[in-house]
Structure formats: structure tokens, C-alpha cells
Amino acid sequence: MRTQSYEIKNYGKKPTFASFLPGISGMHGIPIWCYYVNRGQGVVSFGVENKDKAIMEFYPAHEAYQNVKRTGFRTFLKKDGKFAEAFADEAVAHSMRIYKNSLELAEENEETGLKTEVVYFTLPEEKVGALVRCVTVTNTGDQPAEVEILDGMPAVIPYGVDMDSCKNMRQTAKAWMQVEQTAEGISYYRVRASMADSASVKTIEGGNFSYACLADGTQLTTIGDPEAVFGYDNSLGRPVNFAEGGLAGVQNWPVMCQNQVPSSFYGVKKVLDAGAAITIYEMIGQVENQEILSTFAKRKPDAAYFAQKRDRADELTEEIGNYMAGKTADPVFDEYSRYTFLDNVLRGGLPVQLGENKVFYVYSRKHGDLERDYNFFAMLPEFYSQGNGNFRDVNQNRRCDDFFAPFVGDFNIKTFYSLLQPDGYNPLGVEKITYQLKKEDGEKITFTPGSLYHSLMERTDLDDAGREKLFNETLTKAEPLVNGRFIEGYWTDHWTYNLDLVENYLKIFPEKEEELLFEDSYTWFRPQAGVLARRKRYAKTGKGIRQYSSVEEGLEAKEGCENDLLVCDQHGKGRVIRATLLEKLVLLSLTKFAALDAYGMGIEMEGGKPGWYDALNGLPGLLGSSVTELCELSRNLEFTIAMLQKYQKDVPVLEEAAVFYENVSGIVKECGQEVRAEGEAVDFWNRINDAKEAYREKIYYGVSGKKESLDQKELTQTLKECLEIVNCGIDKAVKAGDGVCPAYFYYEVTEFSEDEEGIYPIHFRQHQTPLFLEGAVRFLKLPRTGAEKKALYTKVRESELFDQKLSMYKVNAPLSDSSFELGRARAFTPGWLENESIWLHMEYKYLLELLKSGMYEEYFADFHQMAVPFLDPEVYGRSVYENSSFLGSSANPDPRTHGRGFVARLSGSTAEFIQMWTLMMFGQAPFVSENGELTLNLQPILPSWLIGENCRVEAAFLGKISVIYRFAEKKDYVPGSYRTQNITLRYADGASADYADGKVCGAAAEDVRNGLVKEIEVTIV
């Protein structure tokens, strides 16, 4: 039985969109990336690992729409001698069905009396990575007919030809290309030797392959010469030889399989009775060597094999979607929720347990696709596949993992806080997770789980059970390596997502707060680039002072250090330094406070990169600062102060940080009044920068490793004074924004001095950018009054952030009066990409904060109007089960784009929706600690339109527990408006327990969290 799908009829006439198959082939499978569009036969590009290993060439979206009918899959037909091409004419009725892990196309041609159906999915749980294509042709006429079918792809990129060679030297690259046949008659596409112009030339063993068979397993012969099909038509427009001579005309052509870009076609000829059908099963993929392919071919796959693999491919993604399964009054909302969880996994990864003590993430990769052609994604072609990512993206998309997989625990908190540097910044790149094991002879071996499993599969002395045992034993003993990598400058906002991890963890493990704060198990990522002192960052230009040089790369590790990616003692020459989370929080508060701008109203973009809104790439050059990060600094200070007061313990910090703290403390006391006042606070700004630069000068070249304890009371008082200054700056910013918190300022240097060391600003003039929705989002995260937040909500609705036509929130107000120096956003057409569009991630962030702020009426109305599952599919232009990065707004001069979704799926919007879903289904904190006891605290926040006539809603809790709510009536349910009358726990072993007062505490609550309960029924009145 197929899983839920989304059907689009006559898709070729609809506005274009691009999407992809998720590339999930199971933990014991090789992933294939595959992109499709709603034109022709859908699939336009696919391959293994990344764009350099494409099998069907990668094209950006606009070219993909143009090329798919020519270089994509083609199906040529002859019925009783009459030629036709399936899916070539949009006037013929056709449809597309989108599943989580497969794609179906269908065309019924009344004129030819043929129905053509195509199914795509990636081959699951095999050592072979492949795209499977099943083509079924049915004789819909009322008489038997002789049918000839020629199906396949006109151009296969041989293994060893990278993207640069495809785009820039394909004519030359053809000299290396060849198609050979394996012993089993499978076509094997590769170059003869490495193509680099280097003294080191290597033989290429890996290869792309093409294989096809009929339902009974009969293997078909590959036609690898495109001229055999197209003859003189080099445009690939018409298959001249087939159209004029049928399969015989193709098969009689003298084949040449070298010195050209080869093809992969398969032909079959058969008399079909009325209503009868024939199916060709094709696999096009990649293997490391021919031996793997030969072993696979000996199994002689047939129709039953491919049916089982299709079912398993669907099951794999359905199992992932089940983590967020629900049953409400709206089945579209429920299915969208499952799709969203799947897409969140694709960017953040799915957590799994390996060995006895390892949390590992599978299936993740960077969000690169046909519309985001600038991103270089990667999916390792191995078991337990993983890919690359960026700090912000992976961090955000793992925010709620403890809600779905409690075994994750504090893993992500330790991962991302340990990637913080002592200067408050972090590397951009979050690379694949690798492990290291020290052998008895002292040799260290480094491996990924996939490469380890591969090596164990090569051993003939191990059976399946022995392999699994040794695999898990090895991982249990191994240590994970640091997976961060400096790539370019420092983003202003990256640190702000860490606290979200902490807060969500404590909603599942509230009793572990003290342990989390004081466990001495965190490390510091060693800065590989340092932020330059302010005098070195500035340059004179014809338009004034600009900040064009922010970081200096090349900070090398010291010889003899224990780990060259981590901060070590003995000034970088010794052992790795450990820290507590509280030490990290304190130092983060100090370093970000010391980055206040000269008006005390924002955090300076001193690292060369902006924040979340990175299309303002020019703002750092304009001496930009961010109010959004100032709001996050307020949150960080609030939390840190609360923890210091709660546990009243002194905080050991690096001795260099202790000196920095003393300097900051003195400056706050002496200059606090200046920075609280209106206007510039240059004395404060210069002194705080002097202290920060002196601190950085020490830590960039190694720390001693010695620690000093900061007195809890004195530290708390200093941080309170810092918080007061920060909140004062936020208030000044809101005033400047006329009630809406602005996101950004930039500064004009009106007076400066200069010497041989650089430029020293003396006075500034502040400029405010137009409003950005992010300012309101971050403000709503603060512990402000309900009245303040409602006032801001009203102001936002009245501002140019609100799209009146679409009743949705734009990411920014018009930039037409702003300088192009702001960045690429200013150059984009309004209502497109990051300029005045409906950027779904930020709109969802805003909706989430309405919900978290208790603005339930406003949230229910906006959510029902704006969330993707409730949009008009004809306007949205694609499956409403899937997110887009942005929707065109009414600011766009082209009305055809208004409300349409663009850029497929992988987006931070999934993380925001998932958190909204958890809050709606289970409340603000599913577990709390009451009187020293763990207590289950389910408090759903549900609108009436998600509650069916049966007054029942179901949702998966902690990934696998079915929670069933039974409501007294169909209405809105928000905390404080209802009472939990009864809770029944049903255990996996068949036992059950009732709690008439609705209180589940102690051991019973722990049973729930430990997964011993399979179902919870909650009666609410």
C-alpha cells in the first residue's frame, strides 16, 4: 500500500517548480541525490555524493526547466508503426504524484491508445547506489497492437568527469570517456584515467552503470551510443533512427561507445493485448568497482525485487515521518507535519544510537538544489551516510531533537557550545562526524561509521551477527573528533541559537539543570582566524570610512599540542582545556557585551559577516550593528544571572578571561551612565574595545590554562549592570523604530584620526535601516509584558512588514531608498529572494514567538492564514505538504509570483514549525520538576479547527508514544481555560495506570520519558 501522496494534474501547464527526492536509502544503503521539475519526465539531474559526481548533469533551475525534455529521461513509442514520444506534449492529459521518497508520472494518450506510467525512487539498503526508474506502457485500445518502446537518458556523465569539466571543457573531456560491458553485460561508464593535468595519473576503478530488465528478470541490452537513437539530429530533438526504422533501425546502427558523451537507452518490442501492459525496470547508479556490480547482478532482480524495494523506500521515509505523526481534524496539516519532520532531518540529521554511548546523525546535508545552485552539498556514498552543513543551519534544525529522541540528551548542547571560541565566535563549517581509535600498538585509525562498516563487510571471517557486534564494540571505544572548520568570516548571530538548545533540553530533563551547568566537559574551539583590532578594520573610501577587513586568517596551532583544533594549555603547546557550560555562558555574555556599538543599541558586525539575514552582506562594511543580537544578549544575560543566583557558586574561568572580566566590570561602573544616555558613548566604546582587543591579543596566541574563580555575588552584580545597559539600548532602539524593534543600524564616521597603526574613529552618526521582521521576532523572545508585545504586534500589522494582499508577513520593509552598499538584498527585485518576500523561515519564527508569548488568539488567526498547509495550492504552485524558502510577495512587479513558493524545502522553517507543533500538542514544558519530582506536564494549545467532531486529537510524543486527547467539546483550548480531568498510561507490557487528578509524577513520569509507556490518554474538560 502506497503512503500519502500529493497529486498535480497536467503539471506541465502549471507554473514551474523544482524539488527533489530525499536521498534516503537506509542506514545500510548508498544515497543518491535526485532533482526533479514539473516538466517533461520530471528528473533533470541525479548523482552520488555531490555535483562533481553527477550521472545526469546538474543544471540550475532555469536551465533545468528548458533542458529536461531534451537531456532528461525520454520515452519513445511506436504503436502499429506510428511514432510518439510520451510526456512531450502538454496537451495530452498527464499527472504527477509526489510521495515522500518516490515520484510517479502518468500520461494517457487517447490518440495513440497508450498509457505511460513512470515511477522513480532511490534504491534502498544495497551496497549499490542507484536511481530506479520503472516505465510501464499499457495498450488502452480495444485491439491487440504491436508496441515498440525505447526508453532511457540521452547523456550519461561517466564516472571521473567533474562539474567543472562538464561545464567548461566537455568537448575535450570526451577524449577520456568510454562505455564498457561487465562480464554480466552491464554498461559501465567511466573515464580511462584521472583527468587532472598532473604528474600523478591514476587509473579509475569506480564507475557509473546502467542496468535494465523486464518483469521476469530478462536483462536488456544497453544502447550506449546516442547517434544510434538520434541519428543526424544532434539537438536530441527527434530520435530519427527509431522514428523511421523502429528498434531495428536503432539496433542496426554501427555502435561507437568512445570519444563521446554516451547514452543509456533500452528497447523492447511486444504485441500487447487490449488492456495489457509491459514494464521496463531500469537502474542507473554508481559503484566503487565492477566486482560490487557483478555480485549484485548475480541476484537477477525482477519485478518482485523492485516492488519490494519501492515499498521499502517508502517505508524508510514513512518511519521518519512517524516521529511527528498526528491525527487532527485536518489531514493536510497532519501530512504536512510529517513531511516537515522529514525535511528537517535532511538538514539537521536523524539521531541514532551507535555502540553503547554514541549519538550519531544520519542523512543530513547542506541545502543545495536547483534554485540554490551556489551551495555545494555533499552526501557520503556509504552506509550511515552523512553530509556537510553550516553551524547555524544544523544547530537550529536540531533544536527540538530531545522532544523526539530523548537519548540525544545534552549531545547537541555540548557539540555547539564546544565549537565556541574564547572570543565568542565559532567556525562556520560543521563537517561529517569522524571517530578515532587508538590501537594496542599506538597507531590511531580514523573512520566514519560508514567506512568502518565497509571494512568489516570485506572480512570473510565475520557473519552478520559478528559484524554488528564488532561494529558496535569499536564505536563504543572510539572517540569522536572535532568536526568544525573555519571557512570565512564570523557571523554575528551564530551564538544566539545555542541557548535554544539549553532551554528545550530542560523542558525534557528539568532535574538535570545543575549537572548541565557545572559538568566540566566542554572544550573551546581554537580560533583559526582572529578578529582584527578596530584600527586595522577601517579603510578610507570615497564614500567615507568603511570596514572591509575584519579577520586575519592563519592562526596556526602550536607544535606539541594535544589537539590542533582545540584550545590547549601551556599557551597552546599542552593539553586540551575543559570548561563548564556556566563558564561558557559567562564569557559569551562578556564578549558580546564588549561588542556593543557606539550608541549601545546593537552588537557590532565586527567579524565581517551579518547575522541571520546574510543578504545584507554589505552591512558590516558600513559599520553595521544588530539589535536582534542585542535582544539575544539580553536573554543570555537573564539566563546566566538566574543560574548564578539559583546555585550561588563561584565560576572558575581562564585567567585571561578573569582579567577581561575585571576590565569590563570597571568600565561598566565608570561609563554606565554614558552608554545609558541618548546619543553616542564614545568613551565607553573606546574603553570596552580596548579591553576586548587586549583580551583577544592574549587568547589568539595561546592561553596558560590556569583558572581563577569569579565571586558569584560580584559576578552577578556586574552582569546585572550589563543587562540594565543592554535593556536600555533595546528600549532606545524600539523608540527609534516607533514601537517596532528595528533590526539594524549602521554608522557614519564623522570624525577620525589616523596614524601608522590605522584609523581611530572619534565621532559617529547613527543611521537606521528599514524595518526587518527579525527585529520584532527577537524582541518577542524577551520577558516583556503582554501589553508591550501586543502593542508591537499591532504596530507590525500596521507597518510595511505586513503584506495586505496576501495577509502574510514580509521579511523586510521596502529598501528602495537605501544604498546598494547594504548588500545583495538591495539589488534583488522587491518581493523576490531576500528582498521584501515572504521568507517562510522568518515568518514562522514570528508565529512561533506569538505562540510562546501567550498571544493565542493572534497566533491561531495568523497561523491558519499563513502556514503552508492552509494555503491555496493553485496560488502556492506546488505541493502544500512541502515548504518553500520564500513566497513571492505583492511587492513583486510580476503578479504571477504573488503567493507562489520558490526554492525547495530545506529551510530553517522546518525547525520553527516543529517547535510550534510540539507546543500546540504538548505545551510549553512537557516535563517540569515539582517538589523535587519529575512531573509530566501536558498542556496542549489547540484551536477549534484542529479538533474534529469526535473531539479527539492524537499526536506522537517523544517520537513513539501515542498521546490521545479527548476534549469535552469542540472549541479553542489554551492553558488556563481548561482542566485535565484524567490521564491514563498504557504500558508496552499491557499494564495501565489511571491518574484521576491529571498528575503523573515521579517514577511514572520517568517511565514516560524512558519510553516504557506506549500510549497516554488525556481527558480535558
Side-chain angles (χ1 to χ4, degrees):
M1 185 177 71
R2 295 273 72 82
T3 58
Q4 183 69 36
S5 67
Y6 186 88
E7 183 177 15
I8 303 174
K9 293 186 180 295
N10 296 317
Y11 60 86
K13 292 183 176 182
K14 301 293 175 66
T16 54
F17 70 82
S19 192
F20 54 85
L21 297 181
I24 289 177
S25 295
M27 284 187 280
H28 291 173
I30 307 296
I32 289 281
W33 54 265
C34 178
Y35 294 105
Y36 66 85
V37 297
N38 62 327
R39 291 293 183 268
Q41 295 202 40
V43 169
V44 71
S45 180
F46 66 95
V48 175
E49 191 168 4
N50 54 47
K51 289 184 278 192
D52 276 336
K53 294 183 179 177
I55 300 171
M56 182 182 283
E57 184 176 350
F58 180 91
Y59 292 104
H62 72 288
E63 292 183 70
Y65 303 139
Q66 297 167 0
N67 295 342
V68 65
K69 283 189 174 184
R70 184 171 55 88
T71 58
F73 285 102
R74 311 280 289 274
T75 305
F76 305 122
L77 303 167
K78 273 198 161 188
K79 182 180 179 183
D80 294 332
K82 185 176 181 181
F83 170 77
E85 180 177 355
F87 302 99
D89 184 358
E90 278 72 25
V92 178
H94 57 287
S95 64
M96 172 182 283
R97 281 191 176 274
I98 300 169
Y99 296 83
K100 290 186 182 72
N101 206 12
S102 57
L103 180 70
E104 291 181 0
L105 309 176
E107 176 191 273
E108 189 155 355
N109 192 324
E110 294 181 359
E111 183 178 343
T112 63
L114 293 174
K115 180 179 181 180
T116 307
E117 298 168 286
V118 176
V119 176
Y120 297 103
F121 59 93
T122 54
L123 187 67
E125 299 177 334
E126 294 281 4
K127 291 177 69 176
V128 172
L131 177 69
V132 178
R133 170 179 163 88
C134 307
V135 182
T136 301
V137 176
T138 304
N139 176 14
T140 58
D142 55 7
Q143 297 294 324
E146 182 180 74
V147 177
E148 294 180 85
I149 306 167
L150 184 63
D151 185 85
M153 49 190 287
V156 178
I157 306 301
Y159 184 94
V161 181
D162 62 17
M163 188 173 178
D164 182 64
S165 298
C166 269
K167 303 298 183 186
N168 298 320
M169 53 173 279
R170 187 183 306 196
Q171 179 65 27
T172 304
K174 291 194 297 183
W176 278 269
M177 297 180 183
Q178 68 177 23
V179 185
E180 58 193 285
Q181 301 299 311
T182 69
E184 294 73 27
I186 301 173
S187 292
Y188 201 64
Y189 302 77
R190 62 175 172 177
V191 296
R192 299 180 188 89
S194 57
M195 296 175 62
D197 189 10
S198 167
S200 174
V201 181
K202 300 176 182 178
T203 302
I204 300 298
E205 295 295 331
N208 298 333
F209 72 89
S210 182
Y211 172 94
C213 67
L214 298 178
D216 62 0
T218 301
Q219 186 175 332
L220 300 178
T221 301
T222 311
I223 299 163
D225 183 352
E227 284 196 28
V229 177
F230 296 96
Y232 60 78
D233 190 353
N234 301 107
S235 73
L236 308 180
R238 178 176 171 80
V240 175
N241 290 346
F242 178 77
E244 296 178 359
L247 281 178
V250 174
Q251 292 163 348
N252 293 333
W253 188 267
V255 174
M256 173 56 65
C257 289
Q258 297 179 351
N259 201 36
Q260 66 173 325
V261 179
S263 63
S264 168
F265 279 97
Y266 295 95
V268 64
K269 181 177 181 179
K270 187 174 182 180
V271 174
L272 294 179
D273 290 336
I278 186 170
T279 300
I280 301 175
Y281 299 89
E282 301 171 37
M283 291 193 311
I284 307 97
Q286 190 175 104
V287 288
E288 294 178 34
N289 54 60
Q290 290 193 23
E291 184 181 344
I292 295 173
L293 195 56
S294 297
T295 302
F296 175 82
K298 289 173 183 175
R299 293 159 57 183
K300 297 191 177 300
D302 56 12
Y305 170 84
F306 288 107
Q308 184 268 327
K309 288 297 181 183
R310 167 79 190 278
D311 287 343
R312 185 59 185 142
D314 283 339
E315 285 172 4
L316 283 168
T317 47
E318 203 64 22
E319 288 167 2
I320 295 172
N322 283 342
Y323 279 87
M324 204 160 148
K327 191 176 291 185
T328 69
D330 192 328
V332 176
F333 170 82
D334 297 337
E335 193 61 21
Y336 169 81
S337 301
R338 297 162 68 92
Y339 269 82
T340 297
F341 189 87
L342 171 65
D343 283 353
N344 193 75
V345 161
L346 297 182
R347 203 163 83 146
L350 180 72
V352 296
Q353 294 172 286
L354 299 181
E356 295 178 6
N357 55 5
K358 298 297 186 296
V359 174
F360 181 75
Y361 278 84
V362 292
Y363 307 143
S364 63
R365 83 279 196 137
K366 187 181 287 189
H367 50 281
D369 52 58
L370 303 182
E371 293 173 278
R372 279 173 288 211
D373 45 10
Y374 52 86
N375 262 349
F376 199 81
F377 60 87
M379 304 157 59
L380 287 182
E382 61 184 25
F383 290 6
Y384 299 95
S385 180
Q386 54 178 321
N388 58 339
N390 288 339
F391 184 97
R392 176 203 294 141
D393 303 335
V394 180
N395 192 332
Q396 288 185 98
N397 285 67
R398 293 183 184 179
R399 183 197 307 160
C400 293
D401 282 3
D402 284 320
F403 284 85
F404 300 97
F407 67 81
V408 171
D410 61 1
F411 174 82
N412 286 310
I413 298 173
K414 288 182 176 176
T415 295
F416 290 102
Y417 273 99
S418 289
L419 284 174
L420 285 179
Q421 302 167 176
D423 64 354
Y425 290 105
N426 58 268
L428 172 65
V430 177
E431 303 299 306
K432 64 186 180 184
I433 298 175
T434 55
Y435 297 91
Q436 191 173 82
L437 186 67
K438 191 173 183 179
K439 297 168 69 175
E440 291 181 3
D441 60 4
E443 179 190 359
K444 293 180 179 179
I445 56 172
T446 301
F447 56 88
T448 63
S451 65
L452 172 62
Y453 204 92
H454 180 272
S455 67
L456 295 177
M457 290 177 71
E458 299 295 307
R459 289 181 50 173
T460 57
D461 61 323
L462 293 173
D463 58 12
D464 290 345
R467 183 186 308 115
E468 290 293 332
K469 183 174 183 291
L470 186 53
F471 176 74
N472 284 296
E473 286 176 351
T474 304
L475 279 165
T476 298
K477 296 174 186 176
E479 291 297 324
L481 297 178
V482 180
N483 66 328
R485 182 168 69 94
F486 177 82
I487 298 176
E488 43 191 336
Y490 292 121
W491 268 259
T492 313
D493 69 317
H494 278 191
W495 60 278
T496 66
Y497 308 103
N498 286 12
L499 189 57
D500 294 332
L501 296 173
V502 173
E503 290 179 340
N504 283 335
Y505 169 82
L506 293 176
K507 292 176 182 178
I508 304 297
F509 300 97
E511 80 282 11
K512 295 189 177 183
E513 183 179 79
E514 185 173 6
E515 176 186 339
L516 180 71
L517 290 166
F518 294 102
E519 184 183 4
D520 194 25
S521 58
Y522 294 80
T523 54
W524 295 100
F525 193 80
R526 184 185 64 78
Q528 297 166 23
V531 178
L532 290 168
R534 61 195 188 284
R535 66 185 182 276
K536 295 181 180 180
R537 296 200 303 266
Y538 305 132
K540 288 190 294 185
T541 75
K543 294 184 178 182
I545 301 298
R546 296 293 184 265
Q547 181 179 246
Y548 290 150
S549 299
S550 291
V551 299
E552 181 178 25
E553 298 184 34
L555 297 179
E556 300 292 338
K558 301 290 179 66
E559 190 174 337
C561 64
E562 182 184 2
N563 189 310
D564 61 2
L565 290 177
L566 299 177
V567 174
C568 295
D569 61 14
Q570 300 178 37
H571 299 283
K573 299 178 181 179
R575 300 186 67 80
V576 171
I577 292 170
R578 304 287 167 180
T580 65
L581 179 58
L582 192 56
E583 180 184 353
K584 291 261 185 179
L585 290 166
V586 168
L587 193 50
L588 197 53
S589 295
L590 294 172
T591 54
K592 298 308 171 184
F593 181 81
L596 283 177
D597 65 32
Y599 279 58
M601 294 167 66
I603 303 292
E604 289 190 313
M605 297 177 179
E606 58 178 4
K609 296 292 182 181
W612 176 89
Y613 199 100
D614 53 14
L616 291 178
N617 52 295
L619 194 54
L622 294 173
L623 281 66
S625 74
S626 173
V627 188
T628 64
E629 276 67 69
L630 191 66
C631 292
E632 293 293 340
L633 175 56
S634 177
R635 287 182 64 225
N636 199 78
L637 283 163
E638 290 269 8
F639 182 81
T640 306
I641 291 166
M643 296 302 100
L644 287 168
Q645 291 178 322
K646 183 173 183 178
Y647 294 106
Q648 298 192 5
K649 292 182 180 181
D650 294 345
V651 182
V653 299
L654 296 170
E655 65 175 359
E656 294 83 358
V659 173
F660 177 45
Y661 159 72
E662 292 295 339
N663 288 333
V664 171
S665 182
I667 294 166
V668 166
K669 288 177 172 60
E670 295 168 20
C671 300
Q673 284 304 113
E674 180 195 20
V675 74
R676 289 183 183 91
E678 297 288 337
E680 61 181 350
V682 176
D683 185 40
F684 165 83
W685 182 79
N686 275 312
R687 290 184 62 182
I688 204 74
N689 272 283
D690 286 342
K692 179 178 60 180
E693 289 166 10
Y695 166 67
R696 285 177 177 162
E697 188 69 24
K698 293 178 182 177
I699 63 167
Y700 283 158
Y701 298 98
V703 298
S704 70
K706 297 177 183 177
K707 293 205 173 184
E708 293 184 12
S709 285
L710 303 184
D711 180 79
Q712 177 264 329
K713 290 185 179 179
E714 292 180 3
L715 175 59
T716 301
Q717 183 56 38
T718 294
L719 295 184
K720 281 184 175 180
E721 292 173 8
C722 291
L723 177 60
E724 186 181 341
I725 290 170
V726 167
N727 285 340
C728 180
I730 295 169
D731 291 339
K732 288 190 289 183
V734 172
K735 182 179 178 182
D738 191 28
V740 177
C741 184
Y744 311 110
F745 295 107
Y746 60 95
Y747 290 91
E748 176 187 353
V749 178
T750 58
E751 185 180 347
F752 65 92
S753 64
E754 185 178 13
D755 60 24
E756 66 277 0
E757 291 190 352
I759 294 170
Y760 298 82
I762 297 173
H763 290 293
F764 299 89
R765 180 179 295 121
Q766 185 186 65
H767 298 273
Q768 183 180 327
T769 68
L771 291 176
F772 288 76
L773 187 60
E774 187 182 7
V777 167
R778 304 280 187 162
F779 181 85
L780 287 173
K781 295 176 80 172
L782 300 175
R784 300 298 179 105
T785 66
E788 285 180 279
K789 293 186 176 185
K790 287 203 173 187
L792 178 135
Y793 175 83
T794 301
K795 285 279 189 179
V796 168
R797 295 278 294 200
E798 294 170 351
S799 76
E800 292 183 289
L801 291 172
F802 188 67
D803 189 320
Q804 296 288 345
K805 176 181 177 180
L806 299 178
S807 292
M808 302 180 85
Y809 295 104
K810 296 187 292 184
V811 71
N812 61 277
L815 300 177
S816 53
D817 294 333
S818 300
S819 167
F820 282 99
E821 284 192 273
L822 279 180
R824 61 182 180 270
R826 172 63 181 88
F828 293 155
T829 303
W832 187 256
L833 285 175
E834 291 110 319
N835 184 12
E836 250 192 293
S837 69
I838 312 299
W839 201 264
L840 194 65
H841 186 186
M842 189 51 66
E843 183 177 62
Y844 273 16
K845 276 180 176 287
Y846 186 70
L847 295 176
L848 171 62
E849 295 310 320
L850 295 181
L851 178 57
K852 288 168 65 178
S853 296
M855 300 171 67
Y856 302 128
E857 183 179 345
E858 293 83 356
Y859 170 76
F860 287 163
D862 282 357
F863 183 73
H864 205 199
Q865 175 71 38
M866 302 170 187
V868 168
F870 310 118
L871 299 179
D872 181 344
E874 291 300 313
V875 176
Y876 187 51
R878 57 188 305 128
S879 168
V880 290
Y881 296 157
E882 300 175 354
N883 291 322
S884 300
S885 274
F886 75 92
L887 286 69
S889 77
S890 63
N892 196 292
D894 183 357
R896 293 171 298 180
T897 68
H898 298 177
R900 270 182 64 193
F902 297 92
V903 185
R905 297 168 59 178
L906 297 195
S907 154
S909 58
T910 58
E912 313 308 329
F913 178 82
I914 286 172
Q915 189 162 7
M916 285 189 275
W917 187 89
T918 61
L919 289 169
M920 293 170 72
M921 297 300 166
F922 311 117
Q924 300 279 5
F927 292 97
V928 295
S929 184
E930 291 185 354
N931 301 318
E933 270 194 319
L934 185 69
T935 301
L936 184 64
N937 183 46
L938 300 179
Q939 292 189 332
I941 309 167
L942 288 169
S944 59
W945 38 265
L946 284 181
I947 300 173
E949 296 304 321
N950 60 358
C951 294
R952 173 186 170 119
V953 169
E954 296 181 35
F957 182 47
L958 303 182
K960 58 183 179 181
I961 302 172
S962 176
V963 173
I964 302 167
Y965 293 110
R966 296 190 181 278
F967 297 100
E969 58 182 304
K970 181 179 169 65
K971 66 173 186 177
D972 292 347
Y973 286 85
V974 301
S977 71
Y978 63 81
R979 176 174 59 86
T980 300
Q981 187 179 65
N982 186 74
I983 294 180
T984 300
L985 304 184
R986 298 188 179 98
Y987 286 77
D989 64 3
S992 65
D994 287 307
Y995 299 86
D997 58 357
K999 282 281 186 182
V1000 179
C1001 304
E1006 291 180 16
D1007 287 346
V1008 173
R1009 194 172 64 185
N1010 292 335
L1012 301 178
V1013 173
K1014 69 172 185 179
E1015 186 177 275
I1016 303 173
E1017 188 167 327
V1018 184
T1019 303
I1020 291 177
V1021 295

